[in-house]
Amino acid sequence: MENKDIFTSMQALETQMGKVHGDLGSLKLEVKKLVEENQRLRLENEQLRKILKRESAEGPLSIPVAERADIPALTGKEAMDVVGEGYDNLARLYHEGFHICNVYYGHLRTEGDCLFCLSFLNK
């Protein structure tokens, strides 16, 4: 082999190594994203299991649609109690770690407090 052939071969090998290094970096970033998503889903799943376990122990909380027709319309103080109950339910969901704002409603809060949710609660 001549010196020129050796140099060309080394240059080709260096190019291939650079490509492999780039591919490895891309795969590393993809694995990182997948691990983070997996952790987020595990936390959300754990929260949902806790809620399901608590609600199944408390019994059903909702009224079937067929039974709602028999309930008279609420007025005055009764209506205020229902509004307070809805607010309490949203506050409970927020404190359990879920978004209640229109931007991320129902998603798990992973990074602390959400300003949209807090402003919604303070209205």
Side-chain angles (χ1 to χ4, degrees):
M1 249 183 162
E2 290 185 28
N3 289 341
K4 185 178 181 184
D5 292 337
I6 294 174
F7 183 73
T8 305
S9 179
M10 285 186 65
Q11 235 177 355
L13 184 60
E14 184 180 16
T15 304
Q16 287 178 343
M17 293 286 285
K19 185 179 182 318
V20 168
H21 187 266
D23 290 346
L24 186 63
S26 298
L27 285 174
K28 185 178 174 183
L29 288 175
E30 196 65 33
V31 167
K32 181 182 174 190
K33 287 179 189 176
L34 290 173
V35 167
E36 288 173 351
E37 181 182 15
N38 190 23
Q39 181 62 23
R40 183 185 59 79
L41 291 173
R42 283 178 193 244
L43 287 172
E44 186 174 358
N45 199 5
E46 182 180 316
Q47 288 286 335
L48 291 173
R49 281 193 177 122
K50 286 179 185 177
I51 292 169
L52 182 63
K53 188 175 182 181
R54 184 175 52 238
E55 286 183 1
S56 65
E58 292 174 359
L61 297 176
S62 63
I63 301 171
V65 176
E67 294 177 16
R68 288 184 201 165
D70 299 336
I71 299 174
L74 301 176
T75 58
K77 182 170 179 355
E78 295 171 340
M80 292 298 287
D81 290 342
V82 172
V83 171
E85 182 180 340
Y87 177 84
D88 290 344
N89 286 338
L90 287 175
R92 178 181 51 83
L93 282 173
Y94 181 77
H95 289 294
E96 287 176 354
F98 294 95
H99 282 278
I100 58 168
C101 61
N102 62 339
V103 180
Y104 299 109
Y105 184 80
H107 288 97
L108 187 65
R109 284 187 302 116
T110 56
E111 298 181 0
D113 291 330
C114 171
L115 294 178
F116 296 118
C117 293
L118 291 176
S119 68
F120 183 76
L121 281 175
N122 290 331
K123 284 185 180 180

